[in-house]
PDB file of all heavy atoms in Angstrom:
ATOM      1  N   MET Q 185     102.268  40.404 121.573  1.00 46.00           N
ATOM      2  CA  MET Q 185     103.452  41.251 121.392  1.00 46.00           C
ATOM      3  C   MET Q 185     104.674  40.492 121.928  1.00 46.00           C
ATOM      4  O   MET Q 185     104.677  39.985 123.052  1.00 46.00           O
ATOM      5  CB  MET Q 185     103.282  42.570 122.152  1.00 46.00           C
ATOM      6  CG  MET Q 185     104.344  43.626 121.840  1.00 46.00           C
ATOM      7  SD  MET Q 185     103.929  45.193 122.661  1.00 46.00           S
ATOM      8  CE  MET Q 185     105.176  46.232 121.918  1.00 46.00           C
ATOM      9  N   LEU Q 225     101.813  53.174 127.686  1.00 96.00           N
ATOM     10  CA  LEU Q 225     101.587  54.590 127.375  1.00 96.00           C
ATOM     11  C   LEU Q 225     100.214  55.029 127.874  1.00 96.00           C
ATOM     12  O   LEU Q 225     100.067  56.085 128.512  1.00 96.00           O
ATOM     13  CB  LEU Q 225     101.718  54.782 125.863  1.00 96.00           C
ATOM     14  CG  LEU Q 225     101.706  56.208 125.287  1.00 96.00           C
ATOM     15  CD1 LEU Q 225     102.513  56.250 123.992  1.00 96.00           C
ATOM     16  CD2 LEU Q 225     100.285  56.671 125.007  1.00 96.00           C
ATOM     17  N   GLY Q 274     105.215  55.863 107.733  1.00 92.00           N
ATOM     18  CA  GLY Q 274     105.031  54.470 107.330  1.00 92.00           C
ATOM     19  C   GLY Q 274     103.595  54.001 107.318  1.00 92.00           C
ATOM     20  O   GLY Q 274     103.331  52.831 106.985  1.00 92.00           O
ATOM     21  N   ALA Q 441     102.676  95.593 100.483  1.00 97.00           N
ATOM     22  CA  ALA Q 441     103.143  96.905 100.936  1.00 97.00           C
ATOM     23  C   ALA Q 441     101.981  97.724 101.470  1.00 97.00           C
ATOM     24  O   ALA Q 441     102.081  98.375 102.526  1.00 97.00           O
ATOM     25  CB  ALA Q 441     103.831  97.640  99.786  1.00 97.00           C
ATOM     26  N   SER Q 485     115.609  88.290 100.029  1.00 98.00           N
ATOM     27  CA  SER Q 485     116.613  87.550  99.274  1.00 98.00           C
ATOM     28  C   SER Q 485     116.007  86.891  98.037  1.00 98.00           C
ATOM     29  O   SER Q 485     114.803  86.650  97.965  1.00 98.00           O
ATOM     30  CB  SER Q 485     117.256  86.479 100.163  1.00 98.00           C
ATOM     31  OG  SER Q 485     116.275  85.576 100.644  1.00 98.00           O
ATOM     32  N   ALA Q 500     116.152 103.015 103.357  1.00 95.00           N
ATOM     33  CA  ALA Q 500     114.850 103.082 104.043  1.00 95.00           C
ATOM     34  C   ALA Q 500     114.901 102.493 105.441  1.00 95.00           C
ATOM     35  O   ALA Q 500     114.060 102.826 106.282  1.00 95.00           O
ATOM     36  CB  ALA Q 500     113.781 102.368 103.206  1.00 95.00           C
ATOM     37  N   ARG Q 526     127.284  97.150 100.597  1.00 97.00           N
ATOM     38  CA  ARG Q 526     128.033  97.044 101.857  1.00 97.00           C
ATOM     39  C   ARG Q 526     128.515  98.417 102.314  1.00 97.00           C
ATOM     40  O   ARG Q 526     128.420  98.757 103.504  1.00 97.00           O
ATOM     41  CB  ARG Q 526     129.232  96.103 101.671  1.00 97.00           C
ATOM     42  CG  ARG Q 526     128.859  94.636 101.480  1.00 97.00           C
ATOM     43  CD  ARG Q 526     130.097  93.751 101.547  1.00 97.00           C
ATOM     44  NE  ARG Q 526     129.793  92.385 101.120  1.00 97.00           N
ATOM     45  CZ  ARG Q 526     130.055  91.893  99.923  1.00 97.00           C
ATOM     46  NH1 ARG Q 526     130.636  92.662  99.010  1.00 97.00           N
ATOM     47  NH2 ARG Q 526     129.746  90.651  99.629  1.00 97.00           N
ATOM     48  N   GLU Q 581      91.428  99.648  94.572  1.00 45.00           N
ATOM     49  CA  GLU Q 581      90.739  98.668  95.411  1.00 45.00           C
ATOM     50  C   GLU Q 581      91.372  98.559  96.781  1.00 45.00           C
ATOM     51  O   GLU Q 581      90.715  98.321  97.773  1.00 45.00           O
ATOM     52  CB  GLU Q 581      90.791  97.282  94.747  1.00 45.00           C
ATOM     53  CG  GLU Q 581      89.869  97.143  93.554  1.00 45.00           C
ATOM     54  CD  GLU Q 581      90.134  95.852  92.814  1.00 45.00           C
ATOM     55  OE1 GLU Q 581      90.859  94.998  93.345  1.00 45.00           O
ATOM     56  OE2 GLU Q 581      89.622  95.703  91.699  1.00 45.00           O
ATOM     57  N   SER Q 596      86.043 117.889  82.695  1.00 65.00           N
ATOM     58  CA  SER Q 596      87.030 118.862  82.207  1.00 65.00           C
ATOM     59  C   SER Q 596      86.544 119.484  80.915  1.00 65.00           C
ATOM     60  O   SER Q 596      85.840 118.846  80.123  1.00 65.00           O
ATOM     61  CB  SER Q 596      88.372 118.168  81.979  1.00 65.00           C
ATOM     62  OG  SER Q 596      88.900 117.721  83.204  1.00 65.00           O
ATOM     63  N   ASP Q 630      96.745 106.161  89.841  1.00 92.00           N
ATOM     64  CA  ASP Q 630      96.911 105.647  88.480  1.00 92.00           C
ATOM     65  C   ASP Q 630      98.284 106.099  87.984  1.00 92.00           C
ATOM     66  O   ASP Q 630      98.407 107.050  87.214  1.00 92.00           O
ATOM     67  CB  ASP Q 630      95.805 106.172  87.571  1.00 92.00           C
ATOM     68  CG  ASP Q 630      95.804 105.492  86.205  1.00 92.00           C
ATOM     69  OD1 ASP Q 630      96.792 104.808  85.889  1.00 92.00           O
ATOM     70  OD2 ASP Q 630      94.819 105.641  85.457  1.00 92.00           O
ATOM     71  N   LEU Q 638     102.569 113.471  82.453  1.00 95.00           N
ATOM     72  CA  LEU Q 638     103.726 114.307  82.796  1.00 95.00           C
ATOM     73  C   LEU Q 638     104.745 114.341  81.659  1.00 95.00           C
ATOM     74  O   LEU Q 638     105.216 115.424  81.267  1.00 95.00           O
ATOM     75  CB  LEU Q 638     104.383 113.782  84.071  1.00 95.00           C
ATOM     76  CG  LEU Q 638     105.628 114.554  84.521  1.00 95.00           C
ATOM     77  CD1 LEU Q 638     105.237 115.915  85.072  1.00 95.00           C
ATOM     78  CD2 LEU Q 638     106.432 113.762  85.537  1.00 95.00           C
ATOM     79  N   LYS Q 695     106.449  99.905  78.286  1.00 75.00           N
ATOM     80  CA  LYS Q 695     107.626 100.136  77.457  1.00 75.00           C
ATOM     81  C   LYS Q 695     108.270 101.484  77.763  1.00 75.00           C
ATOM     82  O   LYS Q 695     107.634 102.416  78.247  1.00 75.00           O
ATOM     83  CB  LYS Q 695     107.246 100.085  75.972  1.00 75.00           C
ATOM     84  CG  LYS Q 695     106.719  98.719  75.522  1.00 75.00           C
ATOM     85  CD  LYS Q 695     107.795  97.636  75.660  1.00 75.00           C
ATOM     86  CE  LYS Q 695     107.276  96.299  75.136  1.00 75.00           C
ATOM     87  NZ  LYS Q 695     108.268  95.219  75.317  1.00 75.00           N
TER      88      LYS Q 695
END
Side-chain angles (χ1 to χ4, degrees):
M185 190 174 188
L225 188 152
S485 59
R526 291 190 191 100
E581 286 171 11
S596 294
D630 189 347
L638 179 72
K695 297 297 183 183

